[in-house]
Amino acid sequence: MRMLTILGFAALVVGSGSPIAALGGQSRPDQIDISSATSAQPWTQLESELRERGLDPNEIVLPGEITTEMEMWAREKITADTPREIVEELLAALIDPEGLQLEYTPEYTGTAIEVFETRKANCLAFTHLFVGLSRALGVPTLYVYWNRVERFRKDQDLVVVSGHVSAGLGSLNDLFVLRFGAVEGLEARGVTPISDMNALARHYANRATELLSDGDFEAAVRSGELATRIDPSLGAAWVNLGVAFEIPLFISNSATQV
């Protein structure tokens, strides 16, 4: 049987990045609706926006949602008063050995609740947790996409291109951006705030990639399809969905040529 190789065929997204071919599909900063960041109920607003797109929020896990226990943990850790001091103190509490001691791992895009339980996160999963906790503390943090040089790696028979997402505070012209994960040595050419809806689509686009890596092609297709329905402008979601459809065909064709 021939080895399935996607080299040169498509780039998959993990760690919430976008393939180079899909960068043109990203929203411009002046198109971003960031009102949910300042909303008293940001996830309720996102649910309303999902309904407007014909999606049932009850069938979609919102990865930024946190539990009451998690909010209480954050409030016990924070003594600062200003938004900038709060986010800096929260970051320290999440990564310090005496705090949550989060460990960076690129393999899985977890929800905020999963990250809090496992203490492991890639950049998007970390951002889910940070945005969820900081907004519960009254700080209107944003999801932020780094426009940067992507990193390529080979995962079994897949070629993966990784980008970076983090949390930010402030306006586009005065944006404080947090750093977490494998960002050293990767050139940042600027950052762009992204909407909660776009971040949600990236979450499911990532999961499609990870499910492909696990060999669960049907689940990968479902996750990829959901990502494209959440945000049809996210080119990376369409790339991942296309690969999820194509891989079983490659395997089938390879099997018949043995």
Side-chain angles (χ1 to χ4, degrees), residues 91-114:
L91 177 61
L94 290 174
I95 63 177
D96 284 355
E98 297 181 359
L100 204 63
Q101 197 174 1
L102 285 183
E103 176 185 348
Y104 176 80
T105 176
E107 287 82 12
Y108 182 72
T109 306
T111 65
I113 293 173
E114 290 171 333

Side-chain angles (χ1 to χ4, degrees), residues 41-56:
Q41 299 291 335
W43 310 120
T44 300
Q45 180 170 331
L46 183 57
E47 289 176 350
S48 177
E49 293 172 359
L50 287 169
R51 290 190 186 94
E52 292 175 359
R53 301 190 180 200
L55 297 168
D56 184 356

